[in-house]
Amino acid sequence: MSHTSHTAHGSRASHRTRRPALLAATCVTAVGLGLGLAAAVPVAAAGQSGSGSGTTGRQYDAKEVRHFLKGFYGSHGPSAWEREHLVTEELKEKAAQTPDYDLLLCAQNAPKAIDIGPVTTAQSAGVGWAPVTTHWGKGQDPQVFTAYVGLDASKPMKLMDISCEAPNG
């Protein structure tokens, strides 16, 4: 009531009356966007194995997956801690079936260097992947395999599968 009786502050009064309208419009837009995102979540979650009703809908992006894979593999392969804490139980079981072969590196030895290629994400499937190139030294060809990571950001990122075949063949 005081802001309408002060004619010297007329512009301030109109600014004050616009704030609630602007706030309401912003909230409506945010709710609309949220509903649009929520509608897309079941499609994305449906492709993830073990996805439960506790997902937030947010998924890791290609940049985050690349950062994870670079940290996981480092220069010479994952450490014992990374193998224990950053690999899904299913992949640990699969790797245990190859005791004379390091499934996470698709090799028997530690490489001299490792490069992570471009990351691809399939949001609808909830999976991201990248080619991993291992370098072995002079006279040995680099080897390429594919590493797969789950994208459900309601869970810690983990390596979920490995394909020892080079991408696209």
Side-chain angles (χ1 to χ4, degrees):
M1 164 167 43
S2 64
H3 59 273
T4 57
S5 63
H6 292 83
T7 57
H9 300 295
S11 63
R12 186 179 291 162
S14 64
H15 179 68
R16 286 183 186 163
T17 57
R18 281 189 227 154
R19 275 191 200 162
L22 179 60
L23 179 61
T26 303
C27 289
V28 167
T29 303
V31 167
L33 287 173
L35 291 175
L37 290 173
V41 170
V43 173
Q48 291 188 22
S49 64
S51 63
S53 59
T55 62
T56 63
R58 179 185 165 326
Q59 292 188 339
Y60 294 113
D61 62 23
K63 185 177 178 181
E64 291 169 307
V65 170
R66 181 170 173 74
H67 180 76
F68 171 81
L69 289 172
K70 286 179 75 90
F72 181 84
Y73 280 105
S75 297
H76 306 290
S79 69
W81 185 91
E82 289 156 338
R83 291 170 184 272
E84 178 62 30
H85 298 285
L86 301 179
V87 177
T88 63
E89 292 303 315
E90 296 83 6
L91 184 54
K92 286 180 197 175
E93 290 173 17
K94 188 175 171 182
Q97 296 173 8
T98 59
D100 296 331
Y101 183 76
D102 187 346
L103 183 65
L104 302 185
L105 288 168
C106 295
Q108 291 180 323
N109 307 353
K112 301 259 186 228
I114 298 177
D115 293 320
I116 306 299
V119 172
T120 302
T121 59
Q123 300 290 324
S124 62
V127 178
W129 63 90
V132 178
T133 304
T134 51
H135 302 275
W136 302 95
K138 289 185 179 182
Q140 294 182 328
D141 292 333
Q143 301 296 311
V144 181
F145 62 91
T146 306
Y148 297 88
V149 176
L151 299 179
D152 183 355
S154 71
K155 302 173 187 172
M157 194 178 304
K158 291 188 175 187
L159 189 67
M160 63 185 284
D161 205 0
I162 295 291
S163 172
C164 291
E165 293 184 26
N168 301 324

